Amino acid sequence: MIRRLLLPVVLVCVVPSTYAFDVGYSHTYEDYSKKNYDQINLSHTFKNNVTTTFEMRGKSEEYANGKQGKALSNVDLVETHYKVKYKYRYSDRLTISPDMGWDHYHKKETERYKVRVGFTYNLTPQFQVYNKYRYDYFTNKHASNFDYYTIELGLNQNVGNWGLTYGYDQYYTSRNYMYDNQYVDYKVKFAAEYKLTPNFKPYFEIRNECYKNYLSQRQTNVEVGFNYKFF
């Protein structure tokens, strides 16, 4: 239910102001599958540059006739995500960010464990390039374990109050098909964030992704949302 997705926001309101919390909300629509998702996340960055994040993701349930549910209608919790990230400023230009996470997929009885290290380099005050390496490992009670590797490449650009991101992700595995009966896959993405106030930043993101691992069909996913810094 959507009430379960809103619970973390209510909790933030009663947390003492000595904690610095960010809260985010997003809605995602997949143009080929017609699925709608809603996500809420909470994060807190400590003085030692360690950030902890908790996310809840819900999906609009299908109707009795098999059609996908409408946006914000009959939302059911399908995923919970946990992540810890550390940001180390190696120099004025280079930042190194290792992180690790755990995702739980409720309906599929699947767990995902992931570790990643990212490198961000400031070319100029307006341009930053990033390179990230990630390893994901899946376990499931009813299927074989599965893992894959990801290389993320991208460019961040600042234009006034706008923050723009251009990204490309490449996936590799040797255990299972990922896209079109192949052991590789990729994702292309573009995101734009606007600093409406010092604390409030709405954004949108568009991604081209694989639809099924045994098909060549791809789909465009559109995500809109915001991030708000409480303290």
Side-chain angles (χ1 to χ4, degrees):
M1 300 294 293
I2 195 168
R3 291 193 298 269
R4 298 170 67 183
L5 293 179
L6 294 175
L7 178 60
V9 176
V10 177
L11 292 177
V12 165
C13 297
V14 298
V15 172
S17 60
T18 53
Y19 294 88
F21 271 98
D22 293 356
V23 62
Y25 165 78
S26 66
H27 178 83
T28 302
Y29 174 72
E30 300 179 349
D31 71 339
Y32 190 79
S33 69
K34 310 301 182 184
K35 294 179 181 179
N36 288 278
Y37 292 91
D38 293 278
Q39 181 169 294
I40 290 175
N41 68 78
L42 297 173
S43 66
H44 173 50
T45 301
F46 298 88
K47 291 183 178 180
N48 58 2
N49 291 325
V50 172
T51 300
T52 58
T53 302
F54 170 69
E55 300 176 340
M56 302 175 69
R57 196 175 196 223
K59 175 181 175 294
S60 296
E61 291 297 290
E62 298 178 358
Y63 295 107
N65 59 9
K67 290 186 177 181
Q68 293 296 332
K70 295 181 179 180
L72 301 174
S73 174
N74 195 24
V75 179
D76 192 23
L77 179 66
V78 293
E79 301 173 21
T80 51
H81 304 165
Y82 308 85
K83 185 171 73 172
V84 178
K85 178 179 180 179
Y86 175 66
K87 183 178 289 186
Y88 173 64
R89 188 174 181 179
Y90 180 80
S91 68
D92 290 341
R93 290 182 178 270
L94 177 62
T95 301
I96 304 173
S97 304
D99 67 68
M100 60 182 180
W102 165 48
D103 301 339
H104 176 60
Y105 298 82
H106 299 263
K107 302 292 185 179
K108 299 179 180 179
E109 297 185 278
T110 298
E111 312 293 331
R112 177 167 70 169
Y113 306 93
K114 51 191 179 183
V115 292
R116 177 172 58 181
V117 59
F119 303 88
T120 302
Y121 188 82
N122 296 323
L123 297 173
T124 70
Q126 290 76 36
F127 291 94
Q128 303 88 37
V129 292
Y130 68 82
N131 187 7
K132 301 177 183 180
Y133 301 91
R134 195 178 84 209
Y135 174 71
D136 292 56
Y137 186 82
F138 292 80
T139 63
N140 185 284
K141 296 180 179 179
H142 312 290
S144 301
N145 295 343
F146 171 63
D147 66 350
Y148 65 83
Y149 300 87
T150 305
I151 299 176
E152 303 178 37
L153 304 171
L155 171 69
N156 298 321
Q157 180 183 7
N158 299 315
V159 183
N161 288 334
W162 286 96
L164 309 177
T165 299
Y166 316 86
Y168 175 83
D169 301 350
Q170 182 74 52
Y171 308 100
Y172 304 89
T173 187
S174 59
R175 296 201 186 194
N176 204 350
Y177 292 137
M178 300 193 74
Y179 165 61
D180 195 19
N181 290 327
Q182 301 178 47
Y183 294 103
V184 296
D185 189 17
Y186 68 93
K187 176 170 65 178
V188 180
K189 56 188 175 184
F190 168 76
E193 179 183 69
Y194 185 75
K195 187 177 181 180
L196 191 61
T197 72
N199 293 345
F200 182 65
K201 296 180 181 180
Y203 74 92
F204 80 90
E205 180 172 322
I206 184 169
R207 304 182 292 269
N208 180 264
E209 299 180 299
C210 167
Y211 173 61
K212 294 288 186 181
N213 62 352
Y214 54 86
L215 297 175
S216 61
Q217 175 66 46
R218 303 189 66 82
Q219 64 181 359
T220 299
N221 300 341
V222 179
E223 178 179 337
V224 295
F226 66 85
N227 290 295
Y228 186 86
K229 184 180 295 294
F230 275 84
F231 309 107

